[in-house]
Amino acid sequence: MTTHHRRSFLGTAAGSLGLGLASLSHLFAAEQSPAPVSSTSTAATTDIIGRPHLTPKAKHVIYLFQNGAPTHVDLFDYKPKLRELHGQPLPESYVGGKRFSTMTGNANGKLILGNVEPFAQHGESGAWVSSLMPHTAQIADELCFVKSMHTEAVNHAPAITFMLTGSELPGRPALGAWLTYGLGSAADNLPGYVVLTSVTKGTSCGQIFYDFYWGSGFLPSRFQGVKFRGSKDPVLYLKDGPGISREFREAMLNDVTALNLQKQALSGDPEISTRIAQSEMAFRMQTSVPELTDLSGESKATLEMYGPQVEQPGSFAYNCLMARRLVERGVRSVQLMHAGWDQHNSLTTELYNQCRDTDQPSAALVKDLKQRGLLDDTLVIWGGEFGRTPFIQGDLANRPRWGRDHHPYAFTVWMAGGGVKNGMTYGASDDLGMNVLENPVHVHDLQATILHLMGIDHERLTYRFQGRQFRLTDVHGHVVHDILNHA
C-alpha cells in the first residue's frame, strides 16, 4: 500500500469516527506546510497554516554549537594588549563589579593571560584568525564575525539554554522548534529539525547534552528536534525485526493509526496527532535514513575536504557532512553540538584538540555548501554560550595547566551564507577583550536576526501558554540589520 493509499485509508477511518476530513488532512499537511505564525495564536488554534512574514533570505539553518564556550581571545578576537600586559594584574577599571563564576569570584587582581598562539590577518577582509584555526582562516572572506556578543548567564547549562531557547530555565521551545512550528518542513521523509552531537575523544571537559536543548517546550511535541545517534544506526527501531515484511509493517501502522484516531475522537488530545505523524514519519525514515547515511556517492575530494574523521559516525566531521546532506534533503534546522571547550586548566592541551577536530570540518561545510549552490539559502552559525576570561585561571608559572574561566561580557560568533554579509567584522570588544566596546549584540538580538533571515518577524511568531503570548526573544531583541545583505 503506497503512502497515498494509506492516507486515503486514514481519511476514510477518520470520517467513520466522526473526526472529519479537515482535521486529518491538516495532520499530514503539517509535516510539509508551515504551522501558524500569529501574534494571537493559542493552543486551540495551532492548526492555522501560516506563511513567512518577510521574504526569506535563508531556507535552512545549520547551527554549529560549541558547548563549553570557545575562548574568543585565543581564536578570533585579537588583542595585542593582552600579550603586552601578560602576567600583570587586571586593572580594576575593567572589572567594575562584574559577576563571574564561583571559580573566579572577585576578578580584581587576576593576572592577564596573553593569547596562547599567534594571530594573522587573512583574505581581502583582513580578518584576524588564530593559527589554531588555519582552515577557518582560509574562508575568512565568506564569514561575518560578530565580536560584540554578550549574554547574562555565567554557567554552562543556563547559558546554553538561553542561547538556544531564549530562557535560562528549561522548558521553552528551542530555536529549531520555533522554526519548524513557524515554517514547517520541506523534507518529505526526514524530520524538519535534526540534532547531532559529538565530543572530542579523551577530553576532560565535556558537557552534558540535555534533551531540553532541542525540546519543543510548550509547543506540540512534533516540533521537537530528533536526535540522531553517533552510530551506523542513527535512529533506533527503524529496522524491521526478523520475519517482518514491509507490507506487514505498513498494515500494522494502519491498524495502530485507526486505534489512535478512535482515542483522539474520545479524548481530543492533540498529542495523539503527533503520535500518528511520528509513526508515519518513522515508516518513511526506514528508507530515507539508510540513504542519508550512505556515503558511497561522496567523492574522494569531498571526504578529504572534511578531514580524516569524516567517515567515523559520531565525530564532528561526520556530523558536518551529515548537516550538508540533511539540508540537501529539505531539513529546515540542523543543530550540531560539540562538547569539550570548557578549558579551565587545559588551554595548552585540549584547546588544540578541539580546534583540530572542529576547524577543518566547519570550514569544509561552508565550502561544500557554496560549491553546491546551497550557501546562499543556508545560514551557518558557529559559536558557544559565552567566551573565556582574558585573565588566567591557574598558576601563570605552570603553562601546561593554564586556563580561562567563563566570560559572558564579550565573545565572538561567526555566521556565513543565508543573507549575511560576508568578509566583515561587526562590533568590537575593548583592548583586553573584556567588555563590549561598540555595537553590542545580545543573545535575543542574534535570535531575532536568525528569525528575520528565515522570513519571520520575531515579535509576531508567538504561542499562547499559561495565559500569555510567548516568543523566542521574550520581550526583547532587535534585528542586527547592519550585517544583513540587502541585495
Side-chain angles (χ1 to χ4, degrees):
M1 184 183 293
T2 64
T3 300
H4 173 74
H5 290 153
R6 260 197 328 278
R7 293 183 178 177
S8 298
F9 162 78
L10 296 175
T12 303
S16 66
L17 292 169
L19 292 179
L21 294 176
S23 62
L24 192 71
S25 64
H26 160 70
L27 168 65
F28 295 108
E31 298 170 11
Q32 300 175 9
S33 302
V37 181
S38 170
S39 60
T40 58
S41 64
T42 68
T45 59
T46 56
D47 289 349
I48 302 171
I49 300 300
R51 291 290 183 268
H53 306 116
L54 316 162
T55 300
K57 296 286 187 179
K59 297 178 182 177
H60 315 277
V61 171
I62 300 175
Y63 203 144
L64 306 178
F65 198 90
Q66 310 301 310
N67 288 50
T71 165
H72 59 297
V73 292
D74 289 301
L75 298 179
F76 303 119
D77 199 5
Y78 179 47
K79 300 298 175 185
K81 194 168 183 177
L82 281 181
R83 176 57 55 189
E84 177 188 333
L85 300 180
H86 177 79
Q88 297 185 30
L90 179 71
E92 187 174 348
S93 59
Y94 286 83
V95 180
K98 287 182 169 57
R99 180 171 62 103
F100 293 89
S101 83
T102 55
M103 290 171 281
T104 287
N106 188 340
N108 287 329
K110 296 290 183 181
L111 301 183
I112 293 173
L113 179 63
N115 47 286
V116 296
E117 292 294 337
F119 278 72
Q121 288 182 283
H122 295 273
E124 294 182 6
S125 61
W128 288 97
V129 181
S130 166
S131 62
L132 288 164
M133 290 284 195
H135 295 277
T136 303
Q138 292 175 11
I139 62 164
D141 286 343
E142 298 294 340
L143 306 181
C144 173
F145 293 95
V146 180
K147 297 187 178 180
S148 53
M149 288 295 306
H150 63 102
T151 185
E152 294 157 20
V154 296
N155 290 310
H156 296 294
I160 295 171
T161 308
F162 190 44
M163 183 68 80
L164 295 176
T165 75
S167 171
E168 293 184 37
L169 299 177
R172 299 283 185 86
L175 168 64
W178 279 112
L179 288 173
T180 50
Y181 165 70
L183 297 172
S185 174
D188 292 333
N189 300 314
L190 289 165
Y193 177 21
V194 174
V195 179
L196 303 106
T197 63
S198 58
V199 61
T200 293
K201 290 183 179 179
T203 183
S204 65
C205 52
Q207 296 293 315
I208 296 173
F209 297 119
Y210 294 109
D211 287 351
F212 53 76
Y213 290 161
W214 51 85
S216 58
F218 43 69
L219 295 176
S221 59
R222 69 177 179 271
F223 300 115
Q224 69 185 4
V226 176
K227 182 184 176 185
F228 281 15
R229 302 187 314 148
S231 70
K232 291 186 177 180
D233 291 320
V235 181
L236 291 172
Y237 312 119
L238 283 186
K239 293 181 179 178
D240 293 326
I244 303 296
S245 67
R246 185 79 171 166
E247 292 74 18
F248 179 84
R249 175 80 169 181
E250 195 164 14
M252 182 173 64
L253 173 62
N254 291 337
D255 291 341
V256 171
T257 299
L259 292 173
N260 278 325
L261 288 168
Q262 289 181 357
K263 182 66 174 178
Q264 187 182 48
L266 294 172
S267 68
D269 182 359
E271 285 301 301
I272 294 176
S273 296
T274 293
R275 192 180 309 153
I276 298 171
Q278 288 174 334
S279 297
E280 176 82 4
M281 175 60 72
F283 184 82
R284 298 199 297 274
M285 286 169 64
Q286 287 186 301
T287 300
S288 65
V289 169
E291 185 275 332
L292 169 73
T293 58
D294 180 5
L295 303 184
S296 61
E298 297 289 345
S299 69
K300 180 181 179 182
T302 296
L303 296 176
E304 289 178 346
M305 182 170 62
Y306 280 89
Q309 298 179 0
V310 69
E311 296 186 79
Q312 300 174 20
S315 69
F316 184 75
Y318 178 88
N319 289 349
C320 281
L321 179 56
M322 283 298 107
R324 189 219 81 205
R325 292 173 66 85
L326 284 163
V327 299
E328 277 183 316
R329 289 155 177 78
V331 174
R332 180 77 61 192
S333 180
V334 184
Q335 181 174 314
L336 274 60
M337 304 193 74
H338 184 78
W341 291 96
D342 194 20
Q343 284 115 22
H344 289 279
N345 55 18
S346 56
L347 275 176
T348 59
T349 54
E350 294 188 351
L351 174 61
Y352 294 74
N353 296 337
Q354 289 296 108
C355 293
R356 180 200 65 224
D357 287 352
T358 61
D359 173 42
Q360 184 173 353
S362 299
L365 174 61
V366 173
K367 291 189 286 187
D368 200 6
L369 289 169
K370 183 176 181 179
Q371 69 187 19
R372 293 171 188 270
L374 295 169
L375 187 60
D376 286 345
D377 61 10
T378 301
L379 175 64
V380 182
I381 309 156
W382 190 102
E385 65 270 34
F386 38 61
R388 313 297 301 190
T389 55
F391 52 81
I392 192 171
Q393 182 178 2
D395 181 0
L396 194 67
N398 186 7
R399 190 178 191 279
R401 300 287 290 174
W402 282 0
R404 298 187 192 273
D405 200 3
H406 311 163
H407 192 74
Y409 303 107
F411 62 103
T412 299
V413 303
W414 62 250
M415 307 169 75
V420 172
K421 290 180 181 178
N422 61 325
M424 78 169 296
T425 293
Y426 182 80
S429 61
D430 60 28
D431 54 2
L432 294 182
M434 186 79 176
N435 305 295
V436 171
L437 187 64
E438 62 182 48
N439 296 324
V441 178
H442 186 264
V443 168
H444 287 315
D445 300 331
L446 178 65
Q447 293 163 343
T449 304
I450 294 169
L451 292 181
H452 180 88
L453 288 166
M454 294 292 287
I456 294 174
D457 181 341
H458 74 105
E459 294 184 349
R460 295 172 60 193
L461 180 64
T462 68
Y463 192 90
R464 189 169 182 81
F465 177 68
Q466 293 184 337
R468 80 170 179 93
Q469 301 297 132
F470 282 84
R471 69 187 204 214
L472 174 64
T473 53
D474 195 41
V475 295
H476 310 283
H478 300 280
V479 176
V480 187
H481 288 281
D482 290 343
I483 70 172
L484 305 185
N485 186 352
H486 297 288

